[in-house]
Each structure stands twice: as structure tokens, then as C-alpha cells.
Amino acid sequence: MSYMGGEYDVIVIGAGHAGSEAALAAARMGCSTLMVTINLDMIAFMPCNPSIGGPAKGHVVREIDALGGEMGRNIDKTFIQMRMLNTGKGPAVHALRAQADKFLYQHSMKETMENEPNLTLRQGMVDRLIIEDGVCTGVITQTGTTYKGKSIVLTTGTYLRGKVIMGELAYESGPNNQQPSLKLSDHLRELGFELVRFKTGTPPRVHRDTIDFSKTEIQPGDDKPKFFSYETESSTNEQLPCWLTYTSGETHQIISDNLHRAPMFSGIIEGTGPRYCPSIEDKVVRFNDKPKHQIFLEPEGKNTSEYYVQGLSTSLPEDVQLRVLRSIPGMENVKMMRNGYAIEYDAMVPTQLWPTLETKRLPGLFTAGQINGTSGYEEAAGQGIMAGINAARKAQGKEGLVLDRSQGYIGVLIDDLVTKGTNEPYRLLTSRAEYRLLLRHDNADLRLTEIGHEIGLVTEERYQKFLDKKSKVEREIERLRKVKVKPVEVDELLASLESAPLQNGTDLLTVLRRTEVGYTHIESISPSPEELTEEMKEQVEIQTKYAGYIEKQQAHVERLKKMEKKKLPEDIVYEDVKGLAIEAQQKLAKIRPLSIGQASRISGVTPADISILLVYLEHYNRVTAARG
Amino acid sequence: MISDTIAAIATAVGEASISVIRVSGPEAVQEVDAIFKGRIPLQQADSHTVHYGFITDLATGEKVEEVLVTIMRAPRSFTMEDVVEISSHGGVVAVRRVMDMLLQQKIRIAEPGEFTKRAFLNGRIDLSQAEGVIDLIRSKSDRAFTVALKQVEGKLSRQIKPLQQTLIETLAHIEVNIDYPEHDVESFTSELIKEKSAEVMKAIDELLRTANEGKILREGITTAIVGRPNAGKSSLLNALAQDNRAIVTDIPGTTRDVIEEFVSINNIPLKLLDTAGIRETMDIVEKIGVERSRSAVNEADLLLLVLNSSEPLNADELELLEQIRDRQVIVIMNKIDLPRQLDMDQLLQYVQEESIVPMSIVNEEGIDRLEQAISSLFFGGKLEAADMTYVSNVRHIGLLKQARQSLVDAYEAADQLIPIDMIQIDVRLAWEQLGEIIGDSAPDSLIDQIFSQFCLGK
């Protein structure tokens, strides 16, 4: 029996890391929002590693926070370890990584969502979409409830026709034995969407009290933890260490002897797995000259004894998993609490999306997270907030918001997905960004808070604080440019830093550019008249020290922006553009890029094709202008 | 709208009297002025005026070429941008020197058809001509692509690939250090960066040195001398080489089965292909002759087919004639001092009469006629491959120099202990610049390299 469950501006299906950001963003932008999910206990669940952040991924969390999203705040509340990685490298690649109390993380996110005024949470399984006049206008659940919405956001994670595989065993299931979503997948195919089958996996979990930590190395958190959110100022969270051990020769022998029982090699698994996240059996086969592999033992929370065995993702049969675990130093007598497993799921071919994450085929339908072929909580959340923003803006009759590749890793991620597609679960890496030096961990707020405020996700109070920071940093850099020093005034300092003495008088900014000199040194000679926070001082130092490199990249960005500004009309018929190579015609017709810039990033579209497109575009514009 | 400044050679290379190089873009006047020495600075010159002076080498202060420079300011120019036209002495060397100096300024080499494209985009050319512009871009690009493809298979590519490989492995290593900071991979230190960039720099220096000596990146109309044994191919080669200035012989680094000889005929540079094969293998020509002719035929812009007029056409020759019907070919009827046995009517079914040059090579008779025939083909505009090759070579040298500079930057940064993720910017630039020469620097290949070189995972 079908009945009307209600009407909303935005409906979000799924409550993982993409779904929760999408729902919160839409609700906070003033949209009445419904979030439907199979199991309300699984909001923001971490089915794999209990950690958030790291290079590129941590940058995304900072960007989500700068835009007004939740992931940064939530992990700051629930971390059990915080570490800044890459501190020996440049500021652009400093990356924060947290171990989460995965249970607290979920509870905290659920609490935040429950307290969001415009947001309704509802447990239920969506089986079908409602289509009216070629537009997606709602959803129908397993129980027959109809919900109508102006925009629908689909975030199905690994639930879509999910299948868990372990040794000879395979069964339909979502992650961690959750109910899979079976009907929706067929429905999407019926609607004409192209789906692919991807695979991912997770390692076993073991009991803390059965680990001999004396045979492992301790990996503590930072003494003075930093935070993901620009709003978090302090924390009283107690930190727990992780532990490092290695696989042994015996481990590799056990795996080699049992490869015939590994689904990866026996042919049971059909989905494409990611290269960057291979199972242990994959590593042993592909890199068989490596005598040992790192294994990190990570606590899953404060109030649990379960430890996550990082580095041991596997779909070997249960008995082999246990023997593998016990061949690793420190785990000779370990008790396994949960098996590792591989999971296959359906994902959308992401080139079916506009850069706003709305599907081209079905206006009103947005998708975000693993359904778009990505992997990782942060990648999911980054898409989630953008899909939520764009779903809300669509419902409000506003134009979509697209971040470009110079504005954030989120921009890089989405542009890669919708322009190039992916043939394996996509993981963000800093090397995917052309402008790594501009997309720093420290300047996410400078890049995105303005936008977050404009769309209504960043509060006025926070925005004012941000403006204050920005102007103080600018004023201080200006001041340092004006303060002149004579050699005699700084030579003692320079000598103490083993920096060459000054030949002539110069300004303090020039002195700060030296590798050996930090802002604290400059401060000791000439303190700022204004009170500056550590964060502000850090900005002054980074922006000054690396100005040369930053300007180099900025010049590239200006060129990129010009190409991004040349918009391609949506109704362009590429078959009619004379002179385009056949391959370019087909690719362009499929991707339908929004700008010349996007077109130039499609593989198979050559510079000559772009020249021809430019000429065509000019022709088109003149004809359109002539018609008035 | 268009922000950069471009240059290209506007006349066919090799033309006897003058060559014109056209520069267009917002910085055209300023950038040419920087290397121009004349009575007044070009920046103060009125539009549509001509100035006598010299192009100079900023590094040495030497005068490179005597030139006439014409200034045409926007919008009263072909592209509606500021345009500077530099007229220099004709010939390959002069043009190349001027081009080299220009490319050291903030000027890049134009893409195929780019002047016309700009003229159109800036509204100079009307809509009815848009299609012509597209055709021009397409055909010029396809031609450039063919040339590029040859180079991908060629020796330049073989020399650049290992350098690119060194750089991509270096990059992958740096990237793994950055993206997987806790992974047990050796740290990529400043010392390693210095070592690797010095290694590649040295190899680039070697390439540039040979390029400057004109031994590797030679340009010219690829010309194949084909014909059956004893028709007189080697005599022809010797005659051409003696009669004309041989520019280079014996190129080091080439494989021995293809040797190129450069000659200049009436200032037209010719690259004679496969001459070693012809010269050294008189005895075994029977075995490989036809095969070799075929492959030379495919590569060449111009074919010189040597026939022995004292014998009838044989089956191999008929097959060859059939194969080269649509090509630029000059048929040399050799041995006209002997009684003629060759059936002219049969030959005329394949080639036009004006392409046939009667010669007696041993008696040095008819060489002037052959040179005349080559000249008229060239100046008649029927041969143009040379300037494509030429342009791409200037481009290559420019890219090699840029790549070298990027590595110098990387080296110096490493020396100053700049963080590796910033040095990476310069290393990556060098990798892309080398890749541009051989048409291979897809951004995804770095990601592929990372995952094939290192065992990463959670």
C-alpha cells in the first residue's frame, strides 16, 4: 500500500560521509530536507579504517570545514589521536591525520543531525525514483512510502547490489553485514544509467588484550595537537597510540600457499579494485621481492577492545586470515574479532554527471560519494557537501556552484571524475593537483570561506573572524615590506642562524624570505603593533617565504581561468563541428564539457581540436549575437 | 582576450633573397625591441614604419643578424594585435638564429594556423571564412602530427625517453614521500634531487651541443634516391655532394643502416636519405634493394628516381613507379650517352614529362638541369615539408633549453634546502617539457608510475 510520506525541498538517500554532509548543507541553506537511510544506527559509519585525514584527504576535510561543513568539527570532537604529517616538507603538503573513536564519531554526527532544525531523519530503503516529465521529483521506499522533493541526492556508498566475499563464501550484503540495496541498482539501469562494478576491502579486527605490544613500535600522537576545523580552539581529548609491526616470511609463505583459495585470483571477484589499496594477497603477488610489509595496529575507539589491522586488507578464507595474523610479530596469540572481507558494489560511470554532480540524464538527481566511483570518507564527504549545496541551490532556483582545480582538492576531485571518469575506485592524491602549492592545508579558509559565507553555510560571526585574520595578515606583510633594516641591526641574528650577513640595508620581508629565518626571528627584531595569533604568523611566514613559487603557480592559474571562462553552449552538436577529429567529437559529445578549459582536459581531445572549438565558438557567438 | 605573444616563419625556408618572421601579440613590440638594435627603440616607433638594424644576442651582446623590422600596431594588422615582421637574409641559418633569439624572449612558437585563428577570433576575418580557418588548422595540425610521429619513432625520441624515465621515477619517488609519509620508502633527499637533475642536465647539454653543431636536429627536405642497382644512384649522390656544399656527413648516434647526407642546392637544404645503403651495398643491393627503396619512399618528401635509359624498365621499377604515382618525384634518365632502350611511352604513363631530367652522371652532364628541377618544385610551393620539420626543430631546441633551465632551478632549490614538494614543481616542469618534444606527458602516467613502482596500501 503506497502513501504520501511528505514533501521536501531536498531528499538525501544514504547517511554515510557523503549523505550526512549533503543533508546538513541543504538544511543549513534553508531547505526542508529529508534524509532516508537503511539503518539510522549507521550514520557516518566508518566501515574500514578508523581514521580521517592525511595528505590530500586531510586537505579536503579543511576545505569542507572552510565551506561550512561538518566533518572537521566532528573529528575534532571525537579524535583519539592527532598527528601532523609531512612536517619536514613544505607547508603545502603538511597534512593532519586523526585516529577516530569510530563509535563516538557516529554518535556525534547523529546528534548534530538530529538537532538540525530543517532536517528530518527517516529509516527506510529507497527502491525507486519518481520521474515526471524527465525530471526526478521524488523517491519510493520498500514500504511503499512516497516522498516528493525538488532535488534528490543519491549517496549509496557500497550498498548498491553489495556483495561480501571471503574465501569461497560470497553473499549479498552491504558493509559490516548491513542490508544491501538491491532494487535501486536495477532501477537505475532501467533509467538508462551506465553502472560499473567496483571492489574494495577491509582487514580483520583483533582483540587488544591478545596483542603483545612489546614486539611492536609505538606511534604516539602529537604533543600539541592541531585541529581540522578553523573553529576548534582547544581539546581535552586523551590520545591513544598506534603500533607498528611487519609481516614475516612466514606470512608471505602462508599467503602464497593459499592463493588458490583467494577470490582475487580464483575468479569469484569481478569488480575492479583500486591499485592504491591492494589486499595483502595482492601485495605479496605483485611485489614479491619485498621481504616484509608494514602493519599498523590502530584502536577503533576508547571504549572498545577492537583493533584495526592496517595493511592487511584481505578476502582470504577465515582460517587463512587467522594463520596470517598469527604469523605477524606481536600477534602470535591474537584473537580475531571480525574477518576481513572484500566487497563488490555498483557505481555510476561519473562522466554521466555535470560538474555540479547533477546527473545529465535526469535533472533533479544528484549523486555523491562512492556511487561516483571514489574511495575514502573524505572524498565522499567533499562530494557530499557540494551535492548538498547544489541540490539546495537548484531547489531554490539558483545557479550551481562549481569549484575549479585552483580553488580546492574538492575541485580537482570532481573535475577528474566528471571529465575523465575512472576505471578503478578513485583516491585523491596531492599529485593529482596541478597547483599543489596554492591548495595548502593552512589556507583552505582563504580559498573557500568567502564562498561558504556567500552561499549561507558560514555564519556571520565566523566570517567576521575570518576577515579579521585575512586583513591582519595582509597588514603585517605590508608592514614588513616597509620596515628597513641596516646590516648591523640583523647581523647578529643572521650569524646565530648561520645565515650569510647582509651586504646592504634591506626590508624585513626580504630577510624573512631566507630559508634559515622564521617569523619568530623577525618578531624578535621588530614585533607587530597588532596582536597576531599563531595561525596569522604562520600565514605571514608561508606567504612571504614561498612567494616566488606561489606566484609561478598563480600565473598558471590565470591562464586556466581564462579557458574556464569560455563557456561552451549546452546545445552544441559536436557532430556538426567540422574539422574535429572523430575521437574528439565522440568524447565531447559524451562528456559535454561546460567550458573550453574542461574540454581541454578530456583525454583524446588535442590542442588542434581545442583551436577548432574556439573558432567554432566564436562563429556560434557571432551568429547568436546577429540573431539578437 | 589572447594574452601571449607568438612567432612563426612566414616565408618558405630556403628562399634565396629574404625570409620573414612574423611576431604577434600584446608584447610583440616590447619583446622584439629588447633584442633589436637600431636607430630608435621600436617602442617609440610609429605604426606601419620600417626600421633597419640588428637582432642581437642578449647573452653575448653580439649582433646576430642584419634585419629590417616592420611595426604594425593593433588593430591595423593581420591579427588585429601588435605585429612585428622581421625580414632577414634568406636561408636556414639566418632564420634560425633570429628565431632562437625571439624564443628566448617572452615569445612562443605559434601553433599550426594560429595567426589565422587569431585574425578570426579578433574579428579580422568574417564568418564566411570560418570554415577555411578550421580546415587550415586541421590540415596543418595533421601535417605537424605526421612529422611528430616520425620523431616519436626516431632517434630524438630514443634519446629523450631515458631522460624522461629518470625524471618520472624521481617524481614518483617524491610523490610517494609526500602522499604516503608513513610508508617505508626511502626519503627522497635534496642530495638525490641534485644528483638526478645533474644527470639529466648533463644529457641535455650533450643533446644541445650536438644540436648546435648541426649534427642531430638537422632540417631539410627528406630526399630519397631510389632505383635499381647500377642505375647510377651513388654517382648521383657523389655528384650532388661534390658540386654542392656538403653540410654534414656521417651523423653520430644514428643507426648504421640509415645514413643521412645533407646538401644545399641553390640554398635549399636537402637531407639525402639512405645513401649509405646505396653506397656500401652495391653487391647486396639485389637482396635488399627493393625493400630499402620502399621504406625510403615512404619517408621521403622528395624522390629522385634514377633509371638506366640504356635498359628497358624491369618489373621492380614498374612496381616502384606505380607506388610513387602521387608523390613529388624527379625521374633521372641516366646514361643518355648510351643507346636508349627504355620505352618513353611506358614511362610517361607514370610520370609527367617535365619531371624527367635526362642526365649522364659520369660525364657530369645535366646536373644543372636537375638542380633547376628541384628549385622549381621548391619555389613553386610544391615542397614544404622542410619548414614543418624546421619549425619543430627550433621548437625542440627551445624545449630542451627550457627543460634544462627547470632542472637548474630544481638543483639550485635543492641546494638551498627548499622543501621537496616545491622542487617537485621544477622537476615536473622539466619532465613535461621533455614530454612535449616527443608528444608524451599525460598527467595520468605519473599516477601509473607511482603505483607500479611502489607497493602502497592500507
Side-chain angles (χ1 to χ4, degrees):
Chain A
M1 188 53 205
S2 140
Y3 85 107
M4 185 65 188
E7 275 190 52
Y8 297 87
D9 291 327
V10 175
I11 300 174
V12 178
I13 304 161
H17 304 283
S20 45
E21 290 293 347
L24 283 171
R28 287 169 179 167
M29 285 168 70
C31 289
S32 63
T33 305
L34 170 73
M35 190 182 75
V36 194
T37 186
I38 296 172
N39 183 348
L40 274 176
D41 292 334
M42 305 299 279
I43 288 178
F45 176 62
M46 298 184 174
C48 199
N49 54 323
S51 71
I52 280 181
K57 289 165 171 278
H59 289 69
V60 168
V61 182
R62 293 284 275 181
E63 290 172 7
I64 292 169
D65 184 69
L67 283 170
E70 199 57 37
M71 187 173 238
R73 281 191 288 247
N74 203 50
I75 183 65
D76 285 350
K77 283 186 241 169
T78 58
F79 72 90
I80 49 174
Q81 188 191 99
M82 202 60 100
R83 275 184 79 185
M84 188 61 95
L85 306 175
N86 277 340
T87 48
K89 305 186 182 88
V93 297
H94 289 188
L96 198 56
R97 211 232 3 244
Q99 295 299 135
D101 184 315
K102 65 189 275 183
F103 302 101
L104 278 184
Y105 188 88
Q106 276 180 268
H107 294 154
S108 164
M109 186 65 89
K110 186 163 182 250
E111 193 184 342
T112 302
M113 297 184 83
E114 285 168 345
N115 290 325
E116 190 60 45
N118 284 330
L119 182 58
T120 304
L121 306 186
R122 189 70 173 82
Q123 183 161 300
M125 166 123 55
V126 167
D127 280 350
R128 299 181 67 80
L129 304 173
I130 301 170
I131 319 291
E132 288 169 319
D133 300 328
V135 175
C136 186
T137 58
V139 302
I140 304 172
T141 69
Q142 193 177 29
T143 53
T145 318
T146 295
Y147 297 103
K148 300 281 293 226
K150 291 177 186 147
S151 308
I152 315 294
V153 184
L154 207 51
T155 68
T156 53
T158 58
Y159 285 74
L160 211 53
R161 213 159 62 86
K163 184 176 169 189
V164 162
I165 302 156
M166 193 193 319
E168 295 84 2
L169 177 68
Y171 56 92
E172 285 177 337
S173 170
N176 202 26
N177 285 345
Q178 291 295 303
Q179 255 193 92
S181 169
L182 301 175
K183 288 188 180 158
L184 190 57
S185 175
D186 289 337
H187 182 59
L188 288 172
R189 260 195 208 87
E190 276 165 29
L191 291 171
F193 286 107
E194 194 185 338
L195 302 185
V196 285
R197 198 92 176 127
F198 277 170
K199 171 239 152 188
T200 184
T202 193
R205 314 296 199 271
V206 297
H207 198 292
R208 176 188 56 213
D209 298 348
T210 60
I211 300 171
D212 180 356
F213 288 109
S214 69
K215 291 183 179 166
T216 66
E217 297 164 33
I218 191 163
Q219 304 266 307
D222 290 343
D223 291 337
K224 282 188 195 153
K226 299 234 177 182
F227 305 106
F228 279 100
S229 174
Y230 285 93
E231 287 180 9
T232 312
E233 281 164 1
S234 63
S235 166
T236 53
N237 287 13
E238 200 185 313
Q239 297 200 60
L240 292 177
C242 295
W243 307 85
L244 172 63
T245 179
Y246 293 89
T247 56
S248 64
E250 193 194 340
T251 315
H252 296 202
Q253 194 57 50
I254 297 168
I255 291 168
S256 301
D257 290 348
N258 287 283
L259 277 182
H260 60 284
R261 297 180 64 199
M264 279 298 289
F265 302 98
S266 64
I268 298 180
I269 288 184
E270 43 173 314
T272 312
R275 284 172 300 176
Y276 49 81
C277 181
S279 58
I280 187 68
E281 49 268 34
D282 217 10
K283 291 191 224 176
V284 167
V285 171
R286 277 180 47 210
F287 293 89
N288 62 4
D289 54 334
K290 244 189 139 203
K292 59 180 189 176
H293 295 280
Q294 285 173 321
I295 300 290
F296 290 95
L297 302 172
E298 306 176 359
E300 295 223 305
K302 270 187 304 199
N303 304 314
T304 174
S305 299
E306 279 191 86
Y307 266 61
Y308 175 88
V309 186
Q310 198 226 85
L312 212 69
S313 173
T314 181
S315 56
L316 284 162
E318 190 174 302
D319 57 311
V320 183
Q321 288 191 23
L322 188 61
R323 280 159 61 204
V324 164
L325 282 171
R326 290 186 173 167
S327 69
I328 295 169
M331 294 209 280
E332 291 83 354
N333 299 306
V334 87
K335 280 188 178 159
M336 182 159 72
M337 294 178 71
R338 299 181 206 225
N339 303 313
Y341 59 88
I343 183 163
E344 279 187 348
Y345 55 98
D346 286 346
M348 292 259 272
V349 171
T351 49
Q352 299 173 101
L353 303 172
W354 296 116
T356 55
L357 297 178
E358 185 174 14
T359 62
K360 294 171 189 169
R361 179 171 288 279
L362 211 50
L365 179 68
F366 297 74
T367 59
Q370 263 168 315
I371 189 175
N372 290 345
T374 59
S375 133
Y377 312 142
E378 304 83 351
E379 285 89 339
Q383 292 169 70
I385 190 169
M386 294 312 294
I389 289 169
N390 283 318
R393 288 177 72 85
K394 173 134 191 162
Q396 294 165 342
K398 294 177 186 160
E399 237 183 69
L401 173 71
V402 175
L403 301 181
D404 72 38
R405 301 181 74 91
S406 70
Q407 287 176 305
Y409 278 95
I410 295 177
V412 172
L413 164 72
I414 294 176
D415 183 64
D416 274 350
L417 288 175
V418 304
T419 308
K420 295 178 183 161
T422 181
N423 47 22
E424 65 181 336
Y426 177 105
R427 179 212 206 268
L428 205 48
L429 299 161
T430 67
S431 47
R432 296 197 196 262
E434 297 85 345
Y435 314 111
R436 182 153 62 191
L437 205 50
L438 303 180
L439 306 185
R440 301 190 304 272
H441 185 268
D442 59 85
N443 72 352
D445 57 341
L446 293 168
R447 290 183 274 126
L448 298 170
T449 297
E450 195 85 54
I451 296 173
H453 178 252
E454 203 179 300
I455 58 175
L457 276 180
V458 168
T459 60
E460 193 56 37
E461 183 196 347
R462 179 168 175 183
Y463 182 59
Q464 288 307 327
K465 219 176 121 194
F466 159 77
L467 288 180
D468 178 59
K469 170 183 169 186
K470 196 176 161 201
S471 62
K472 277 188 177 151
V473 169
E474 281 165 6
R475 276 201 299 275
E476 178 62 0
I477 292 178
E478 221 23 66
R479 185 185 76 85
L480 295 182
R481 200 193 306 279
K482 285 188 187 133
V483 178
K484 306 286 177 205
V485 283
K486 296 189 188 114
V488 55
E489 293 173 79
V490 287
D491 277 355
E492 195 181 327
L493 169 74
L494 293 178
S496 73
L497 300 169
E498 292 180 25
S499 188
L502 279 189
Q503 300 294 333
N504 299 304
T506 185
D507 55 272
L508 280 178
L509 210 62
T510 309
V511 180
L512 181 54
R513 290 222 169 95
R514 294 189 170 204
T515 321
E516 304 85 2
V517 181
Y519 181 81
T520 45
H521 305 124
I522 296 294
E523 208 177 10
S524 69
I525 303 172
S526 166
S528 166
E530 291 186 282
E531 194 162 327
L532 302 181
T533 62
E534 286 308 309
E535 232 182 41
M536 294 174 196
K537 293 175 187 172
E538 183 193 26
Q539 268 317 303
V540 172
E541 181 167 330
I542 292 171
Q543 288 186 27
T544 305
K545 248 186 178 24
Y546 306 107
Y549 283 96
I550 291 172
E551 278 159 23
K552 242 193 225 180
Q553 293 214 319
Q554 200 67 50
H556 274 270
V557 169
E558 294 312 316
R559 261 174 276 161
L560 167 95
K561 297 246 186 210
K562 276 196 187 116
M563 290 292 120
E564 300 298 316
K565 273 194 198 127
K566 292 189 199 302
K567 298 291 172 206
L568 287 164
E570 273 189 38
D571 58 355
I572 189 165
V573 181
Y574 288 101
E575 286 77 4
D576 292 351
V577 183
K578 254 196 74 185
L580 282 179
I582 300 288
E583 187 189 357
Q585 258 180 21
Q586 291 169 344
K587 291 260 176 73
L588 289 163
K590 185 175 174 195
I591 309 287
R592 285 193 274 162
L594 296 181
S595 67
I596 291 282
Q598 195 192 349
S600 68
R601 289 190 293 276
I602 299 172
S603 65
V605 175
T606 64
D609 294 318
I610 292 300
S611 284
I612 286 166
L613 264 186
L614 276 170
V615 171
Y616 180 87
L617 189 62
E618 178 65 23
H619 185 160
Y620 181 98
N621 290 340
R622 284 192 213 169
V623 170
T624 317
R627 279 192 200 127
Chain B
M1 182 173 74
I2 295 163
S3 60
D4 57 352
T5 300
I6 55 171
I9 302 160
T11 47
V13 174
E15 199 161 342
S17 52
I18 58 158
S19 293
V20 177
I21 293 173
R22 188 183 277 161
V23 184
S24 176
E27 280 157 341
V29 178
Q30 177 195 327
E31 293 299 309
V32 175
D33 198 20
I35 57 166
F36 177 77
K37 207 172 187 151
R39 202 173 50 82
I40 59 160
L42 297 176
Q43 295 198 70
Q44 293 170 17
D46 291 334
S47 187
H48 293 75
T49 54
V50 181
H51 304 269
Y52 169 81
F54 292 89
I55 296 296
T56 55
D57 184 337
L58 287 184
T60 62
E62 280 171 27
K63 290 174 180 173
V64 170
E65 260 319 298
E66 188 183 19
V67 292
L68 280 178
V69 173
T70 311
I71 305 285
M72 284 159 279
R73 292 186 192 275
R76 290 173 56 211
S77 72
F78 175 59
T79 55
M80 297 186 79
E81 302 170 337
D82 280 354
V83 168
V84 179
E85 283 185 359
I86 305 170
S87 308
S88 75
H89 294 286
V92 175
V93 179
V95 179
R96 169 134 146 207
R97 279 201 206 128
V98 175
M99 247 346 231
D100 278 353
M101 294 306 121
L102 287 174
L103 295 180
Q104 286 178 20
Q105 299 303 113
K106 271 187 264 164
I107 296 174
R108 67 168 171 82
I109 203 152
E111 291 160 18
E114 195 171 3
F115 281 91
T116 317
K117 182 178 101 183
R118 288 188 174 197
F120 175 79
L121 291 180
N122 292 333
R124 182 77 157 81
I125 298 179
D126 71 41
L127 279 181
S128 60
Q129 286 166 284
E131 213 161 87
V133 178
I134 287 176
D135 287 346
L136 181 77
I137 294 171
R138 185 84 264 162
S139 70
K140 287 218 175 189
S141 303
D142 288 349
R143 185 79 185 120
F145 181 72
T146 316
V147 172
L149 207 63
K150 271 190 204 163
Q151 280 152 352
V152 169
E153 294 157 358
K155 69 178 173 257
L156 181 60
S157 171
R158 282 200 299 274
Q159 280 166 312
I160 292 206
K161 280 236 165 95
L163 306 184
Q164 253 208 321
Q165 189 58 31
T166 305
L167 291 181
I168 200 175
E169 280 169 18
T170 305
L171 282 172
H173 198 152
I174 296 175
E175 297 300 348
V176 166
N177 272 208
I178 293 170
D179 274 326
Y180 293 87
E182 291 172 305
H183 209 77
D184 53 347
V185 168
E186 178 198 0
S187 294
F188 211 89
T189 59
S190 302
E191 284 311 307
L192 266 167
I193 291 180
K194 278 157 73 176
E195 187 190 314
K196 294 288 177 193
S197 37
E199 179 189 326
V200 177
M201 240 187 298
K202 203 174 144 224
I204 291 179
D205 281 342
E206 185 61 23
L207 275 174
L208 282 170
R209 196 177 58 75
T210 47
N212 285 335
E213 287 172 8
K215 281 185 179 171
I216 163 167
L217 300 171
R218 286 309 310 193
E219 55 279 339
I221 294 172
T222 311
T223 307
I225 303 177
V226 292
R228 70 162 124 138
N230 296 322
K233 296 189 299 281
S234 60
S235 315
L236 175 64
L237 175 84
N238 289 333
L240 285 173
Q242 274 162 25
D243 200 44
N244 297 285
R245 184 169 46 106
I247 301 173
V248 178
T249 53
D250 196 335
I251 296 125
T254 47
T255 49
R256 287 287 142 180
D257 57 347
V258 177
I259 286 198
E260 299 158 350
E261 182 100 29
F262 287 88
V263 300
S264 170
I265 290 175
N266 294 343
N267 267 333
I268 305 164
L270 291 195
K271 180 168 80 174
L272 298 176
L273 257 197
D274 211 2
T275 55
I278 293 161
R279 197 188 288 165
E280 289 166 10
T281 53
M282 292 306 287
D283 297 332
I284 52 164
V285 150
E286 281 304 338
K287 280 182 268 173
I288 54 172
V290 175
E291 241 350 274
R292 185 174 292 288
S293 296
R294 280 204 189 109
S295 82
V297 164
N298 290 335
E299 259 182 79
D301 301 313
L302 170 65
L303 298 165
L304 302 180
L305 170 60
V306 186
L307 299 176
N308 182 345
S309 71
S310 68
E311 287 175 25
L313 291 167
N314 68 16
D316 283 343
E317 283 170 333
L318 288 171
E319 193 189 322
L320 194 60
L321 279 165
E322 178 62 42
Q323 195 190 338
I324 62 179
R325 242 177 219 282
D326 301 326
R327 308 290 303 274
Q328 293 299 336
V329 61
I330 294 173
V331 176
I332 291 133
M333 290 267 289
N334 194 19
K335 307 191 185 179
I336 50 167
D337 48 320
L338 300 175
R340 192 164 84 192
Q341 295 290 323
L342 193 147
D343 182 348
M344 275 303 278
D345 289 339
Q346 193 182 13
L347 180 60
L348 285 170
Q349 289 171 16
Y350 296 95
V351 289
Q352 298 190 339
E353 196 161 359
E354 56 264 35
S355 322
I356 301 172
V357 179
M359 285 180 81
S360 169
I361 301 171
V362 282
N363 296 330
E364 296 183 18
E365 201 190 318
I367 290 197
D368 50 342
R369 282 199 292 270
L370 172 60
E371 293 179 358
Q372 190 53 46
I374 293 173
S375 294
S376 55
L377 266 185
F378 186 74
F379 293 121
K382 288 185 176 158
L383 283 176
E384 62 153 345
D387 78 351
M388 286 310 300
T389 330
Y390 172 73
V391 168
S392 70
N393 287 345
V394 172
R395 203 179 130 255
H396 290 163
I397 293 173
L399 284 165
L400 278 173
K401 286 182 179 163
Q402 285 174 21
R404 190 186 185 284
Q405 187 54 49
S406 302
L407 290 169
V408 170
D409 291 349
Y411 188 96
E412 283 173 359
D415 211 37
Q416 294 166 27
L417 299 176
I418 301 276
I420 57 165
D421 54 296
M422 293 188 203
I423 302 173
Q424 180 270 358
I425 295 174
D426 291 317
V427 178
R428 182 166 179 149
L429 205 54
W431 172 64
E432 286 170 356
Q433 285 153 344
L434 289 183
E436 232 181 283
I437 298 177
I438 58 172
D440 169 32
S441 60
D444 292 343
S445 54
L446 176 57
I447 308 277
D448 291 341
Q449 180 70 29
I450 294 173
F451 293 121
S452 60
Q453 196 174 334
F454 298 98
C455 176
L456 306 161
K458 59 179 180 179

